[in-house]
């Protein structure tokens, strides 16, 4: 398994990115200003985009694992990689997601804690209703994770 940063032709991963954020205009708002990573084992299994929000804070904007490879540890491997990588550059990793029983438990299991909510985010920023696990997403739920020196040491 390897994780590589993609610097050019980021839209080649649009199909996967749309699994994590189903409106292309939203992806366009952060894709070019963010760092895109692809996890390969041996082919692409997962992708994610991280943006620098300033002041030592980074935001995981999109994390998507190809459906045949979900629940096999690839998402967790990407989060662990990001924590190690960004601990060298900052102190906090944020992630915003819908209040979904599919994503909230994942981020909690990865060591994130709830930070804040943006009311009506999915109603105000998407051109159609977004549903996940049978639930309409309304508010954006933000989670945060402190990046520690121990994360830096794990890089070796």
């Amino acid at each position: 398994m390897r994780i590589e940063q993609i610097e050019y032709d980021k839209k080649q991963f649009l199909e996967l990115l749309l699994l994590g954020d189903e409106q292309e205009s939203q992806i366009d708002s952060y894709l070019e200003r963010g760092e895109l990573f692809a996890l390969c084992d041996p082919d692409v299994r997962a992708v994610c985009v991280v943006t620098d929000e300033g002041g030592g804070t980074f935001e995981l904007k999109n994390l998507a694992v190809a459906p045949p490879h979900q629940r096999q540890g690839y998402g967790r491997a990407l989060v662990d990689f990001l924590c190690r990588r960004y601990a060298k550059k900052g102190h906090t990793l944020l992630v915003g997601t819908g209040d979904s029983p599919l994503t909230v438990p994942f981020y909690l299991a990865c060591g994130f804690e709830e930070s804040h909510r943006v009311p009506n985010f999915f109603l105000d920023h998407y051109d159609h209703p977004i549903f996940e696990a049978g639930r309409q997403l309304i508010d954006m739920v933000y989670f945060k994770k402190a990046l520690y020196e121990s994360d830096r040491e794990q890089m070796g």
Side-chain angles (χ1 to χ4, degrees), residues 14-25:
L14 183 62
E15 184 177 340
L16 253 181
L17 291 166
L18 285 166
L19 294 174
D21 189 340
E22 64 181 68
Q23 187 163 302
E24 188 173 352
S25 64

Side-chain angles (χ1 to χ4, degrees), residues 58-60 63 76 79-80 82-83 92-96 104-115 142-147:
F58 296 87
E59 185 174 342
L60 174 54
L63 173 63
R76 179 63 178 254
V79 169
D80 291 345
L82 297 174
C83 289
T92 304
L93 182 62
L94 292 175
V95 63
V104 169
F106 170 76
Y107 288 113
L108 292 173
C110 288
F112 286 82
E113 60 184 34
E114 189 169 333
S115 170
Y142 273 92
F143 293 89
K144 67 181 177 181
K145 183 173 182 175
L147 303 174

